[in-house]
């Protein structure tokens, strides 16, 4: 059995997450039991939600245990199988975690899923045709419920979720506006992702200034907003929401280090009769087949061309993850293992 390098959570962060919170370890993978398969991971997914799991605090996900492999999505190939449903060479997606190999009890429903890489690259199953894409789909289709001609806005617009949101929103005939950090990301959002406009929040020191820029990009107001950031961005968006607007709350990355995120104008939720709904996409597995079918078609036909930021090697995972939390990634953040 091969030697397996892993990243463990060694200690919990106090405030901002640091590379010293993680530890690189190595061990041999155990022999397979009946029903198990050995997966060699090609790519590891890094996602903002992982920061919350590093804390020992009440949340929608259980805390990441200390001294164990950091959890996370993976794609790879089966290299050994004791399960008749999986053959050596099968391309698969699962939750193998921050390690080079995983032994998977493939008898468990949903533990491992075979994927077709004929028209969709393997790495896309961790991004546009994976959890981030389905997240965008659920928030847009099931919570915001857009109508053609309406205006949709998404923060963290060039990340894995925002990229998918743009393609899905444009496919429904909506004016689609992004909020991102820096001129390169905003240019990419418009030129490659198909956004009608993109606002660089880094040009604005106050919510009022950012809100004015949003007003100029959304002259008819905002009907649907997909929230990934919180803080000043949410304060800037709320005054621009139309009556009976819908807000899908996916993430609050501005507060992931533990700082409170007060809301300046909560009364707008009442006066504009807004629907504000948080959601966790893993609680809605029933919609995944429909969502993945549409997302796979968008990628295969070139209507969704999401960019990827790729770090090389398992040892690069902690720094790549910390960079993701600070917005240093351009598109979906992955770690290439083999």
């Amino acid at each position: 059995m091969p030697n397996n390098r892993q990243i463990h959570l060694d200690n919990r962060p106090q405030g901002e997450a640091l590379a010293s919170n993680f530890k690189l370890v190595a061990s041999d993978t155990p022999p397979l039991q009946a029903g198990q398969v050995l997966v060699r991971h090609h790519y590891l997914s890094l996602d903002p939600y992982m920061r919350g799991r590093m804390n020992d605090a009440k949340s929608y996900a259980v805390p990441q245990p200390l001294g164990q492999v950091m959890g996370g999505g993976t794609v790879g190939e089966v290299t050994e199988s004791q399960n008749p449903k999986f053959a050596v060479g099968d391309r698969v997606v699962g939750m193998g975690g921050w390690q080079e190999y995983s032994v998977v009890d493939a008898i468990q429903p949903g533990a491992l899923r075979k994927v077709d890489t004929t028209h969709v690259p393997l790495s896309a199953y961790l991004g546009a045709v994976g959890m981030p894409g389905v997240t965008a789909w659920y928030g847009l289709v099931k919570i915001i419920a857009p109508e053609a001609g309406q205006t949709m806005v998404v923060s963290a617009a060039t990340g894995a979720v925002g990229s998918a949101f743009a393609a899905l929103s444009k496919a429904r005939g909506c004016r689609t506006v992004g909020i991102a950090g820096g001129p390169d990301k905003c240019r990419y959002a418009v030129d490659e992702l198909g956004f009608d406009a993109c606002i660089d929040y880094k040009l604005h020191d106050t919510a009022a200034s950012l809100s004015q820029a949003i007003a100029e990009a959304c002259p008819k107001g905002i009907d649907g907003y997909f929230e990934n950031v919180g803080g000043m961005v949410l304060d800037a968006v709320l005054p621009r929401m139309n009556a009976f607007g819908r807000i899908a709350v996916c993430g609050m990355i501005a507060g992931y280090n533990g700082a409170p995120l007060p809301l300046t104008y909560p009364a707008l939720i009442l006066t504009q009769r807004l629907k504000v709904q948080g959601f966790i996409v893993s609680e809605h597995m029933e919609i995944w087949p429909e969502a993945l079918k549409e997302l796979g078609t968008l990628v295969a036909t070139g209507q969704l061309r999401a960019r990827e930021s790729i770090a090389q090697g398992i040892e690069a995972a902690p720094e790549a993850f910390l960079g993701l939390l600070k917005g240093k990634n351009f598109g979906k953040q992955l770690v290439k293992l083999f």
Side-chain angles (χ1 to χ4, degrees):
M1 303 298 285
N3 187 261
N4 183 27
R5 295 191 300 164
Q6 309 170 325
I7 299 291
H8 289 191
L9 182 62
D10 186 58
N11 57 84
R12 301 200 186 279
Q14 305 297 319
E16 183 176 345
L18 303 170
S20 58
N21 298 136
F22 303 96
K23 183 179 182 180
L24 176 65
V25 301
S27 62
D28 291 337
T29 57
L32 296 186
Q33 304 296 319
Q36 293 182 333
V37 299
L38 179 65
V39 180
R40 183 190 191 194
H41 301 151
H42 289 201
Y43 292 94
L44 159 67
S45 177
L46 299 180
D47 300 282
Y49 79 84
M50 296 171 175
R51 175 61 186 86
R53 293 197 64 225
M54 293 173 69
N55 298 330
D56 187 10
K58 183 179 180 181
S59 182
Y60 61 85
V62 297
Q64 166 68 39
L66 294 177
Q68 295 187 23
V69 178
M70 277 289 293
T74 50
V75 290
E77 65 177 311
V78 174
T79 59
E80 186 179 336
S81 177
Q82 293 293 330
N83 189 304
K85 294 183 178 179
F86 293 89
V88 172
D90 282 347
R91 296 300 196 262
V92 292
V93 58
M95 293 293 291
W98 294 24
Q99 56 183 339
E100 294 175 324
Y101 292 86
S102 63
V103 173
V104 182
D105 186 358
I107 296 175
Q108 297 296 322
L112 208 59
R113 178 168 57 91
K114 285 189 273 192
V115 294
D116 184 357
T117 58
T118 305
H119 302 293
V120 176
L122 182 62
S123 60
Y125 287 102
L126 291 177
V129 196
M131 182 272 290
V134 178
T135 298
W137 191 96
Y138 186 88
L140 178 68
V141 175
K142 295 300 184 180
I143 296 178
I144 295 174
E147 297 178 8
Q150 292 186 331
T151 297
M152 302 292 121
V153 175
V154 59
S155 54
T158 60
V161 175
S163 301
F165 184 93
L168 295 165
S169 176
K170 292 302 294 181
R172 286 158 175 78
C174 296
R175 176 172 175 79
T176 307
V177 176
I179 301 172
D184 291 341
K185 288 185 177 181
C186 285
R187 193 176 307 113
Y188 161 66
V190 174
D191 294 346
E192 297 187 43
L193 293 178
F195 281 94
D196 293 290
C198 187
I199 300 154
D200 182 358
Y201 72 83
K202 290 187 176 181
L203 297 177
H204 304 277
D205 295 327
T206 66
S209 174
L210 179 57
S211 190
Q212 181 57 41
I214 293 171
E216 293 169 4
C218 305
K220 296 182 179 180
I222 300 171
D223 300 295
Y225 174 52
F226 193 105
E227 176 64 288
N228 288 309
V229 175
M232 185 183 84
V233 176
L234 182 55
D235 277 342
V237 168
L238 273 179
R240 305 304 169 190
M241 294 296 300
N242 290 330
F244 305 104
R246 292 84 65 198
I247 300 176
V249 182
C250 168
M252 292 274 181
I253 199 169
Y256 281 3
N257 285 328
L261 292 179
L263 192 60
T264 304
Y265 303 112
L268 288 169
I269 298 172
L270 170 61
T271 59
Q272 294 302 92
R273 288 86 81 207
L274 302 179
K275 172 186 175 182
V276 182
Q277 183 176 335
F279 72 100
I280 307 302
V281 74
S282 59
E283 296 176 348
H284 305 280
M285 298 306 294
E286 73 283 354
I287 60 92
W288 281 57
E290 181 183 359
L292 289 172
K293 182 178 179 180
E294 180 177 357
L295 291 159
T297 299
L298 289 171
V299 170
T301 58
Q303 297 176 71
L304 173 49
R305 299 186 300 274
R307 193 177 292 191
E308 297 172 338
S309 290
I310 300 178
Q312 299 289 331
I314 187 66
E315 64 279 359
E319 288 294 350
F321 176 64
L322 299 177
L324 166 72
L325 297 177
K326 296 179 179 178
K328 294 181 179 180
N329 60 304
F330 211 128
K332 173 64 187 176
Q333 181 65 61
L334 300 169
V335 179
K336 190 175 189 302
L337 301 176
F338 293 104

